[in-house]
Every structure is written in structure tokens, then in C-alpha cells.
Amino acid sequence: MKYLNLIQYFCFALLFFGCGKENDKKKKLDAQEHVINVKDKIVEISTDPIDISRISAPYILNEYLIIGDHFSPDKLIHIFNKNTFEYMTSIGDKGQGPCEIANMGRIVSNEKDRRFYVIDIGKQKILDYPIDSVVMDSFYIPKEKAAIKKQEFPYTFQYVNDTLSFALLMRMNPNKSDYKPIVSKWNMQTGEIVYLGDGGYPTIKSKRVSFDASVEHGIYVETYWHNELMRLYTIDGNLKYNIYGKNWNDDDSHRDLYFNQVAICKDKIVACYLGGLNIVKTEQGLKGNYPTQLLFFNLEGDYLFNLMVGYPITTFCYDEGNNRIVFEFNDEIQFGYLDMDEFI
């Protein structure tokens, strides 16, 4: 009898501690808890005298605000003073010529060396622009920093040094017109790639995510576009937590849009959030839906609060020096910022 009790004890202990270990990887969030309306605190940014298309994105590099304008007919990159928003210069002619950008992807900052990199998907190159040279000479010709592969190229990356970047790679499926994003360590000099993580949530076949990494804090994060799921990893690719929303499911239909862009801002994780239909019907026809909220988490993935921005957000970036978030909106206000002193 004692023998049976001992077996029962060990089975109970295994069940208890085993379940506890599994539960440690699960966290929950309710995006409608702790909602703070900040629409009236948005400050509009004027980009005069430059007209910028609605398909653009802001970036911060040192004392500059860089705006990549993907639909510009000529200059693709516009540079402003990030403190005064004074216009400085525009660079990067669009085209197939030797000094032109064929198909501009995202822009990546290298704060330490005062330069930024442009992903040219069309020419399969990473272009290198020293910011001081560019501001002095709008005709500056960039050098090629690295080559990228056609079937496996970085959508974006976090630059550490020339031999280490953390990249969200787009792995194209040669047999289908589809891709799979996967976080990797990427050596820009040699092209060597080391895949990180587990490849994605196991039951979601059509993975669509945004990503950010922090070497300082030793983490990276993935937010799923069409599933209410955020995944937090160590910088070496070990899963720390799955953070599930109240509407979580592993549906592959892409009908809904939950998370979009994500950024690690000081000691917070900030994720763009909609929580609704990806496409909606209007009197003018079908229309894409955009996030209007920012969800804040601590570095362990615990949900903190929701900032209701109120404007449809296409993209954003964090200006750590001024502790503000800079937005591009799909609205009458195209660019604006929100001071973060109350929140970060």
C-alpha cells in the first residue's frame, strides 16, 4: 500500500510540475483592459515642402528623421531634423540605373557608425549610406554593403555589427507563390544564416509576423498579423512565452487583423493592434483596415495597457532621444508624434 502511495505521489508530482512548466510558457491578454485615449495628444508633423505618398515609413537615425517613400516617382528617401522637423534633403533616385534603387524595402539604422542601410529587393543588394555624407551631398552614390538572395532575403533586420544582424528573413517557396518569415542570425559579410526559434506556431501554416530584437535585453519578439498571438524568445531563439489574446485561434484565413508592427522601446514592448476585420465594406467599396491602438507589455510579455491612438496607423518608429513615437497615418494627418514620458 505504501508502495502504491509512493507511485501515486511521484505521478502527482510529475503532473503538477510538468503542467507548471508548460503553463510558464503561456500568458494571456485582454486588449480592452486598461485603455487610455490619447488621440488629442497626437502632434501633427509637417513635411513641407515635400509631398510624400501614402505608402511610406519613418525611421530614426541619430538626430535625423528619415522617411522612405515607396511610391515616389523620383527621390525615395527624405531626411528631416528629428527635433525641429526641418527638411534637410532628399536622395535615392528610383530606377534600374547603377546609382538608382529598383525596389526599395525597409531602411535600417546603424546609430553607432552614423549610417543607414537600404534593402533594394529589386537589385538584391543592401545599400550603405553614411548620413553625414548624404546631408552634405544629395548626389552621394551609395556603396554595396551586402548581397542578398532572391529566394531568401531580409524583410528587415536589427544591425549589431558587420558579422551579426538579427533578421526577419523571407524564405520563398519555389513550388508556390508564397513565403515563410523566419528570424535568423545573419552574417552580412559571408552570407551565413543561422535560423532561430521553432519556425513559427506549429498549427499556423500561413505565418505572417512582424519582429523586433534587443541585444541589450537579450530578447526578440514576433507578433502575428492575423492571429491574436505574440511570441517572446531569448535572443538565441528559445521560446519564453506565448501570449494569447481573448480572440485567439489558429485560423489561416487572414480574415482578421490583430497585431502589426512591433518595437522594443526601452523597457517596454509596443505592438500596433487592430483586433478586427482585415478588409471592410464601405460605400466606396472594399477598404483595407488599419490598426488604431498600441498595446504595451513589459519585457516578460505581461500586458500593461492600451493606448487608443484613434488614427489609422500604417507604421511607426521610436525616437529614444526624445522619448516619442513617430507615426505615419492613413488619414488627413499623415505624420504625427506622441510623447511617451507618461508611458515609457
Side-chain angles (χ1 to χ4, degrees):
M1 191 69 177
K2 290 182 179 179
Y3 178 69
L4 290 176
N5 286 340
L6 188 61
I7 292 177
Q8 290 173 340
Y9 170 80
F10 278 112
C11 287
F12 174 79
L14 182 62
L15 179 64
F16 180 82
F17 291 112
C19 288
K21 185 176 181 181
E22 179 65 23
N23 286 335
D24 282 347
K25 293 186 180 295
K26 297 179 181 179
K27 294 190 176 185
K28 295 183 179 180
L29 74 100
D30 182 349
Q32 301 314 310
E33 286 187 345
H34 313 301
V35 178
I36 306 168
N37 194 316
V38 294
K39 186 175 182 179
D40 62 348
K41 296 183 179 181
I42 299 294
V43 180
E44 185 174 5
I45 297 172
S46 171
T47 58
D48 288 341
I50 304 299
D51 290 326
I52 299 175
S53 80
R54 289 291 176 177
I55 309 299
S56 58
Y59 307 88
I60 297 295
L61 173 63
N62 302 109
E63 64 267 34
Y64 298 100
L65 169 65
I66 301 172
I67 297 178
D69 185 355
H70 295 268
F71 272 22
S72 172
D74 39 54
K75 302 290 186 183
L76 295 171
I77 301 167
H78 311 291
I79 300 173
F80 300 81
N81 181 297
K82 76 170 188 179
N83 301 309
T84 64
F85 304 112
E86 176 188 0
Y87 172 68
M88 307 296 293
T89 190
S90 295
I91 61 165
D93 291 306
K94 186 175 183 177
Q96 297 290 338
C99 302
E100 297 173 328
I101 301 172
N103 184 5
M104 184 174 70
R106 292 186 67 82
I107 295 172
V108 176
S109 295
N110 174 354
E111 292 271 339
K112 181 181 177 182
D113 297 324
R114 296 182 62 82
R115 48 206 323 127
F116 62 92
Y117 308 120
V118 175
I119 303 172
D120 189 340
I121 301 169
K123 292 184 178 180
Q124 297 169 235
K125 296 178 180 179
I126 305 291
L127 303 176
D128 181 1
Y129 292 87
I131 188 64
D132 297 317
S133 299
V134 166
V135 171
M136 292 177 60
D137 179 9
S138 62
F139 295 99
Y140 179 84
I141 299 174
K143 296 180 174 60
E144 180 180 334
K145 182 69 176 179
I148 57 178
K149 301 176 182 178
K150 185 175 182 179
Q151 296 297 326
E152 192 172 47
F153 61 89
Y155 171 74
T156 188
F157 59 93
Q158 187 82 31
Y159 178 85
V160 181
N161 55 52
D162 283 356
T163 60
L164 177 62
S165 292
F166 291 91
L168 184 64
L169 292 179
M170 301 292 105
R171 299 180 65 189
M172 306 302 295
N173 187 331
N175 301 318
K176 300 177 182 178
S177 57
D178 196 13
Y179 67 89
K180 182 176 183 179
I182 183 167
V183 178
S184 307
K185 290 181 181 179
W186 177 44
N187 186 321
M188 296 175 70
Q189 284 190 348
T190 66
E192 180 186 3
I193 294 169
V194 177
Y195 302 124
L196 297 175
D198 47 17
Y201 198 85
T203 58
I204 297 176
K205 296 179 181 179
S206 183
K207 180 184 178 184
R208 297 292 184 269
V209 298
S210 295
F211 142 92
D212 197 22
S214 170
V215 176
E216 176 187 359
H217 297 297
I219 59 171
Y220 72 83
V221 60
E222 293 180 336
T223 49
Y224 279 65
W225 294 359
H226 305 295
N227 310 88
E228 199 168 16
L229 173 67
M230 185 171 84
R231 309 192 82 198
L232 183 63
Y233 296 82
T234 68
I235 204 70
D236 293 321
N238 297 312
L239 180 67
K240 287 171 67 70
Y241 299 108
N242 286 314
I243 299 100
Y244 300 96
K246 289 184 69 176
N247 299 309
W248 152 252
N249 62 62
D250 56 2
D251 181 27
D252 272 319
S253 70
H254 295 184
R255 183 179 69 92
D256 298 314
L257 178 64
Y258 288 100
F259 293 106
N260 194 343
Q261 187 180 351
V262 64
I264 299 171
C265 308
K266 290 188 178 178
D267 62 346
K268 301 292 189 299
I269 298 170
V270 182
C272 227
Y273 180 85
L274 176 65
L277 291 173
N278 190 25
I279 298 174
V280 294
K281 291 182 179 180
T282 68
E283 293 181 356
Q284 291 74 36
L286 295 177
K287 179 182 177 182
N289 220 355
Y290 291 88
T292 56
Q293 305 159 64
L294 294 178
L295 302 191
F296 283 66
F297 303 79
N298 64 24
L299 297 179
E300 288 297 312
D302 299 304
Y303 170 72
L304 300 174
F305 52 86
N306 173 343
L307 292 191
M308 185 67 69
V309 175
Y311 294 101
I313 305 166
T314 55
T315 186
F316 73 90
C317 65
Y318 178 57
D319 176 1
E320 184 172 357
N322 288 313
N323 196 27
R324 63 174 55 147
I325 288 179
V326 178
F327 300 93
E328 203 259 358
F329 297 120
N330 185 37
D331 209 306
E332 291 182 2
I333 296 177
Q334 185 174 5
F335 294 96
Y337 71 86
L338 176 64
D339 285 324
M340 287 285 110
D341 291 344
E342 296 180 49
F343 312 112
I344 297 178

